[in-house]
Amino acid sequence: ENFAGSKINKIKQIGFNSTIRTCHESIRQVKRLDSSNFSPMTAWSRGCQLVALNIQTPDTSRRLNDGRFRQNGNCGYVLKPDILRLRDEPRPSPLTLSIKVLCGTCLPKCKGDKRGECINPYVIISVHDIPIDGGKENVMVHTTPHVSKNGFNPIWHQEHPFRFKIENPDVAMLQFSVWDKDVAYADNFIASSSIPISCVREGYRAVHLFDANNKRNGAFECASLLVEVKFKKKSGRNQD
């Protein structure tokens, strides 16, 4: 069954009690005259497994979609959260996510250009979350300072981690976006990576970066970030 984007917010859940047994698809609002995308987070939180997007528009929503299905090798479907599939499944515990961005490796120029000035990279870290019982999407954003003229091995001397409070870890998404700081003009997008919170692991982690078309080849083949990740449950105990 198809649901227009404007109706998604009115749907509580598409779960095991629903009469819909096949693929759940959310379609774009027909009122949209441009190629912009709405966020797929609300549809995913309601149980939709396929959200139609303008795939030619490499915006935040498209990158979230790329990251959601990358966990399955970019093929097939990703299972709904257990709370939407299994009876008497306990609610997931809220988490506090702490992230330090340590350094980058082989960050290319905008669009993988071979010529031009050295980039001034900075990283935008965002968490896209949505309450389990419904409600508006909550986007939490932190930004590192830029590193001047160093895309090969930029280092961010971050003393204190960025912290994110996550209500729905089964659906929430973590996104890293690398940008080039430009004083005279608008900043340029370099690369990004979107990761489901359920796939994030603690420790020192290498984050592979992808270009605007979700590709990791050519100048982007070795592009990555080194980050430190820590989780803490609401009870205060560390999560494995």
Side-chain angles (χ1 to χ4, degrees):
E1 182 170 336
N2 295 340
F3 301 99
S6 59
K7 294 182 179 180
I8 287 296
N9 288 324
K10 300 178 182 179
I11 301 172
K12 290 185 177 180
Q13 281 186 353
I14 303 174
F16 54 83
N17 289 326
S18 173
T19 58
I20 304 170
R21 300 298 183 187
T22 57
C23 163
H24 309 300
E25 178 182 2
S26 170
I27 63 174
R28 294 180 295 108
Q29 296 184 55
V30 295
K31 294 180 181 179
R32 288 176 180 262
L33 301 179
D34 57 9
S35 294
S36 63
N37 288 312
F38 65 89
S39 174
M41 294 297 301
T42 300
W44 289 336
S45 71
R46 303 300 193 272
C48 294
Q49 290 177 289
L50 177 63
V51 181
L53 299 173
N54 287 297
I55 208 70
Q56 75 275 15
T57 305
D59 56 9
T60 296
S61 298
R62 220 291 301 278
R63 292 192 281 270
L64 288 174
N65 189 77
D66 292 339
R68 173 68 68 185
F69 289 94
R70 195 176 295 128
Q71 65 177 300
N72 198 26
N74 291 322
C75 64
Y77 291 100
V78 174
L79 282 177
K80 302 177 190 178
D82 289 346
I83 195 172
L84 295 180
R85 294 186 295 108
L86 306 176
R87 296 180 183 274
D88 302 322
E89 181 68 17
R91 295 163 63 95
S93 301
L95 302 171
T96 297
L97 170 64
S98 300
I99 292 181
K100 278 186 178 181
V101 181
L102 304 177
C103 64
T105 301
C106 299
L107 305 181
K109 296 178 175 63
C110 179
K111 299 180 181 180
D113 291 342
K114 296 182 179 180
R115 298 185 178 183
E117 298 179 351
C118 294
I119 64 173
N120 306 306
Y122 65 93
V123 185
I124 298 177
I125 307 99
S126 59
V127 167
H128 300 253
D129 192 15
I130 194 159
I132 296 177
D133 296 327
K136 293 184 178 181
E137 178 182 350
N138 181 23
V139 182
M140 297 158 279
V141 180
H142 290 286
T143 305
T144 69
H146 73 274
V147 176
S148 297
K149 299 186 181 300
N150 187 351
F152 182 68
N153 58 350
I155 297 175
W156 288 275
H157 300 281
Q158 187 178 346
E159 295 184 8
H160 304 290
F162 298 132
R163 289 186 172 86
F164 305 88
K165 294 183 179 180
I166 301 170
E167 297 183 49
N168 193 350
D170 287 344
V171 176
M173 295 286 296
L174 170 65
Q175 186 173 95
F176 296 90
S177 298
V178 181
W179 293 76
D180 177 18
K181 183 71 174 178
D182 196 319
V183 178
Y185 302 98
D187 295 350
N188 296 313
F189 173 80
I190 301 296
S192 73
S193 183
S194 299
I195 309 166
I197 291 295
S198 58
C199 296
V200 177
R201 298 294 179 261
E202 285 190 306
Y204 293 96
R205 300 293 173 180
V207 179
H208 292 174
L209 298 173
F210 298 80
D211 66 11
N213 296 312
N214 193 31
K215 303 295 183 182
R216 185 171 163 80
N217 52 28
F220 295 84
E221 186 174 3
C222 297
S224 63
L225 298 173
L226 180 64
V227 301
E228 182 183 8
V229 179
K230 292 182 179 180
F231 278 118
K232 182 178 290 186
K233 288 186 177 180
K234 190 175 182 180
S235 61
R237 296 175 298 175
N238 289 332
Q239 185 188 29
D240 294 334

